[in-house]
Amino acid sequence: MTGERLIDTTIYDVIVAGLGPAGLTACLYAARDGLKVLGLDPAGCGGKLLTIDNLENYPGETLIKGPELAAKLEKQIQTLPVKIAYEQVQEVTDIDAAVKSVQTRRHTYRGRSLILATGCRERTLGLEAENELRGRGVSYCAVCDGRFYKDKDVLVIGGGNSAFAASTYLSRYVKSVKQVLRRDVARANKIEVERVLQNPKVQVFYNLLPQAFLQEKIDGEEQFCGMRFCRRTDGQTVDLQADGVFIMAGEEPNSGFLQNEATSLLLDRHNCVQTDRDLKTVVPGVFAAGDLRDTNLRQVVTAAADGALAAYKAQEYLSSLN
């Protein structure tokens, strides 16, 4: 595979892996500092912004759609000399060298510093048939797939902000929402919880642990038709029927490209990238920003702030080499 890759002859000052809020902000700040910047993301610009319906806590915006904010950031980047490539990072090599290499399926890119901002993805439940039912009743994105369930009954699994926001969003289209929490208390903020509790189309169930997907055969194919749970308080089995389920059970870092002998030193036991307060990793010239880090708060605004600081520290690092 390596022999088939084309080598980009440019030596970039900064290569940014991931173009969500953290990566886009890093590109913005680095380019404005006069650095030669490459941004990489197979999905284009926006990251998780593209899955957010209404964003109400971003400074300066009372209410803005996630994709709308992503488009604004992309437009701002387009005014600057930033190269964007819609490619996924597969591996980072020569990480200890003065010029580091980033491998995608098609290219080898080289840069004097790296900002890792590949974010995180939704955690699966790990139940049997989960992967087979993905797209056939099992979803991880309400904004992406909610409209497919118009006037139908759905489940939402999770007790955090994303789960409660998903229930509120889905209630616009579906017939009913049953939101299931593993514990007896929600982790979401009060505003998100109150919206759901006051919504007549949403019913909240507590203390239910997911056990299995229920299936029925339709036109020769197994289709999702509900879920089986175990009630924590008494061990009783509870079956909830539904046409679809939206799993919002937390997140895990997109760090698979770092989980090898050469770069695993960047990761903690949860496979998040470890940094100090300046977003420096243990390898000089390698920084991390946004949800890929082990951070106490995963928000658009904190990711953007990380991107700005990572770019500033990358510029500082590069200046120290001269």
Side-chain angles (χ1 to χ4, degrees):
M1 174 67 75
T2 303
E4 300 172 0
R5 292 186 176 111
L6 299 174
I7 297 176
D8 186 333
T9 57
T10 302
I11 304 296
Y12 295 94
D13 294 315
V14 183
I15 297 178
V16 179
L19 294 174
L24 287 171
T25 306
C27 289
L28 171 67
Y29 273 70
R32 285 177 58 86
D33 271 341
L35 301 180
K36 189 174 295 182
V37 183
L38 168 67
L40 297 170
D41 196 310
C45 297
K48 281 203 152 185
L49 279 174
L50 301 177
T51 70
I52 296 174
D53 180 33
N54 292 324
L55 187 61
E56 300 175 271
N57 58 2
Y58 193 79
E61 297 284 357
T62 304
L63 177 66
I64 188 170
K65 301 286 186 183
E68 182 184 351
L69 181 57
K72 285 186 172 184
L73 286 168
E74 182 176 11
K75 184 176 181 180
Q76 192 173 17
I77 292 298
Q78 289 172 346
T79 67
L80 298 167
V82 176
K83 178 176 178 178
I84 300 295
Y86 300 134
E87 299 180 54
Q88 183 167 349
V89 176
Q90 294 187 335
E91 187 181 9
V92 177
T93 56
D94 304 320
I95 195 166
D96 291 316
V99 176
K100 306 162 197 317
S101 297
V102 174
Q103 313 291 344
T104 70
R105 186 175 65 84
R106 300 193 302 270
H107 292 95
T108 294
Y109 296 104
R110 295 174 296 171
R112 298 197 295 150
S113 67
L114 305 178
I115 296 177
L116 306 174
T118 49
C120 57
R121 62 186 180 276
E122 286 71 22
R123 183 176 288 119
T124 65
L125 295 178
L127 299 178
E128 185 177 351
E130 184 167 359
N131 192 54
E132 290 81 357
L133 290 171
R134 186 188 292 253
R136 290 191 293 158
V138 174
S139 175
Y140 303 87
C141 178
V143 174
C144 309
D145 299 332
R147 290 174 175 81
F148 297 129
Y149 293 90
K150 183 175 174 58
D151 299 325
K152 295 185 178 182
D153 301 307
V154 300
L155 300 173
V156 172
I157 310 295
N161 285 327
S162 60
F164 277 87
S167 290
T168 298
Y169 176 81
L170 289 166
S171 69
R172 303 176 196 169
Y173 306 101
V174 304
K175 180 181 177 182
S176 73
V177 179
K178 294 182 177 73
Q179 182 170 342
V180 179
L181 282 67
R182 300 168 187 252
R183 302 187 297 174
D184 58 359
V185 63
R187 294 180 287 108
N189 65 57
K190 184 177 180 181
I191 292 176
E192 295 285 6
V193 173
E194 285 302 315
R195 279 185 185 142
V196 164
L197 295 180
Q198 294 173 17
N199 191 325
K201 295 176 73 173
V202 183
Q203 185 177 5
V204 180
F205 295 79
Y206 298 92
N207 290 311
L208 294 183
L209 301 175
Q211 299 294 298
F213 294 104
L214 303 179
Q215 302 177 62
E216 61 182 351
K217 188 163 287 190
I218 300 176
D219 296 329
E221 280 195 345
E222 293 292 339
Q223 298 286 342
F224 174 89
C225 66
M227 288 195 69
R228 176 161 293 166
F229 301 88
C230 174
R231 191 156 49 214
R232 291 179 60 203
T233 53
D234 57 14
Q236 292 294 309
T237 295
V238 177
D239 287 350
L240 296 178
Q241 304 297 317
D243 299 296
V245 60
F246 291 83
I247 299 170
M248 320 296 288
E251 298 166 320
E252 52 192 11
N254 288 319
S255 60
F257 67 99
L258 298 172
Q259 294 173 30
N260 56 63
E261 185 176 354
T263 52
S264 62
L265 76 166
L266 299 173
L267 305 175
D268 64 15
R269 62 190 181 93
H270 301 295
N271 289 323
C272 293
V273 175
Q274 302 180 84
T275 69
D276 62 14
R277 60 183 295 175
D278 291 329
L279 306 187
K280 299 175 182 177
T281 69
V282 293
V283 177
V286 180
F287 306 84
D291 294 354
L292 183 63
R293 299 193 309 116
D294 182 13
T295 176
N296 290 322
L297 186 63
R298 288 188 164 100
Q299 296 285 296
V300 175
V301 68
T302 57
D306 271 10
L309 179 58
Y312 175 76
K313 289 299 175 179
Q315 193 278 335
E316 197 175 72
Y317 163 77
L318 293 169
S319 295
S320 73
L321 302 178
N322 298 330

